[in-house]
């Protein structure tokens, strides 16, 4: 089992560029979520999905889009990158939402916007 | 105001010491999570608990739902326990503490 696979591991973008962070899981988990981790701030929820075709905003959704066309994949799109989006991004999945199940995290994507 | 508060922020211990990390939360939850982030950045789920105590090896997690408080204990600490420990409280959102950075010195 690969678990949760995130790509790329590192990325440098110029301000205004767009890109997609990929997240895939092979555990048939219904719940998937994206977080950003900034120094001194802890992890913050960007967007989440409770199943294919269903997404919702988290605490810090501005500047990001998501879609969930399949159970396995949950890509995160940066529409027009800004230096404030420099962060480490984690994708996680869980059998269900509500915090009632354990979470499996991807290895993270370190994004720098210059 | 942070929905999840952890203490201490940083902790240095000698190998073999008993370690306690505390977590207080203000949101209503069904279960509290403890996570471990390794120096390389990867995050693993350690515990999910809704009452009482759970034990896994040298790690013990306790929770008092009424007081909205949880503790993570490490017995006979070892340098490989050096990591950031994060508590997380799922509510309408999923709130995370800022983490406790633990360094265990041989």
């Amino acid at each position: 089992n690969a678990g949760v696979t995130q790509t790329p591991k590192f990325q440098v973008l110029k301000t205004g560029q767009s890109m997609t962070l990929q997240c895939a899981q092979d555990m048939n988990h219904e719940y998937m979520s994206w977080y950003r981790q900034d120094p001194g701030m802890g992890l913050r929820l960007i967007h989440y999905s409770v199943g294919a075709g269903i997404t919702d905003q988290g605490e810090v959704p501005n500047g990001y889009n998501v879609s969930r066309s399949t159970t396995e994949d949950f890509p995160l799109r940066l529409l027009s990158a800004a230096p404030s989006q420099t962060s480490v991004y984690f994708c996680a999945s869980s059998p269900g939402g509500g915090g009632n199940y354990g979470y499996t995290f991807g290895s993270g994507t370190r994004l720098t916007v210059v | 105001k942070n929905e999840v508060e952890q203490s201490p922020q940083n902790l240095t211990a000698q190998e073999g010491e008993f370690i306690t990390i505390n977590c207080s939360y203000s949101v209503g939850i069904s279960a509290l999570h403890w996570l471990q982030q390794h120096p390389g950045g990867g995050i693993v789920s350690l515990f999910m608990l809704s009452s009482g105590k759970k034990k896994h090896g040298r790690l013990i997690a306790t929770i008092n739902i009424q007081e909205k408080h949880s503790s993570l204990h490490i017995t006979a600490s070892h340098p490989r326990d050096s990591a950031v420990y994060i508590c997380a409280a799922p509510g309408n959102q999923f709130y995370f503490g800022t983490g406790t950075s633990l360094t265990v010195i041989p």
Side-chain angles (χ1 to χ4, degrees):
Chain A
N1 265 351
V4 177
T5 302
Q6 276 186 248
T7 56
K9 291 193 184 304
F10 301 94
Q11 182 72 48
V12 178
L13 287 179
K14 293 183 179 179
T15 298
Q17 285 184 317
S18 63
M19 78 159 295
T20 299
L21 307 185
Q22 301 291 345
C23 176
Q25 52 93 7
D26 61 358
M27 298 170 285
N28 203 33
H29 285 176
E30 290 296 324
Y31 185 89
M32 296 185 74
S33 48
W34 276 101
Y35 307 88
R36 59 178 290 172
Q37 186 177 39
D38 302 295
M41 299 287 290
L43 288 154
R44 291 182 291 170
L45 180 65
I46 303 172
H47 285 285
Y48 65 96
S49 168
V50 298
I54 306 169
T55 63
D56 207 346
Q57 297 180 350
E59 183 183 357
V60 288
N62 292 340
Y64 307 96
N65 271 358
V66 292
S67 61
R68 184 96 180 269
S69 56
T70 67
T71 299
E72 294 77 20
D73 298 299
F74 191 45
L76 178 72
R77 297 182 186 84
L78 280 69
L79 308 173
S80 177
S84 61
Q85 293 178 303
T86 294
S87 187
V88 182
Y89 292 84
F90 288 95
C91 176
S93 74
S94 174
N100 295 315
Y101 302 89
Y103 282 69
T104 302
F105 285 81
S107 57
T109 295
R110 186 174 295 273
L111 175 68
T112 302
V113 182
V114 298
Chain B
K1 176 184 178 299
N2 292 332
E3 287 77 9
V4 179
E5 299 276 0
Q6 278 185 245
S7 63
Q9 282 191 312
N10 297 285
L11 184 55
T12 301
Q14 293 288 332
E15 183 173 357
E17 284 186 9
F18 181 84
I19 290 162
T20 296
I21 300 170
N22 294 302
C23 176
S24 296
Y25 56 93
S26 59
V27 292
I29 63 169
S30 54
L32 184 113
H33 295 243
W34 281 99
L35 311 172
Q36 181 191 53
Q37 186 168 26
H38 293 286
I43 300 173
V44 296
S45 179
L46 294 176
F47 294 104
M48 183 185 68
L49 69 166
S50 55
S51 65
K53 179 168 73 174
K54 284 192 175 180
K55 185 174 188 289
H56 181 68
R58 295 179 293 104
L59 274 61
I60 303 167
T62 64
I63 189 168
N64 184 317
I65 293 290
Q66 287 74 24
E67 295 185 3
K68 295 189 173 180
H69 182 269
S70 178
S71 294
L72 177 68
H73 306 284
I74 304 175
T75 62
S77 59
H78 189 277
R80 65 175 174 266
D81 297 326
S82 299
V84 176
Y85 294 84
I86 302 168
C87 72
N92 291 333
Q93 302 284 339
F94 203 145
Y95 299 104
F96 295 84
T98 54
T100 295
S101 179
L102 171 66
T103 302
V104 181
I105 300 170

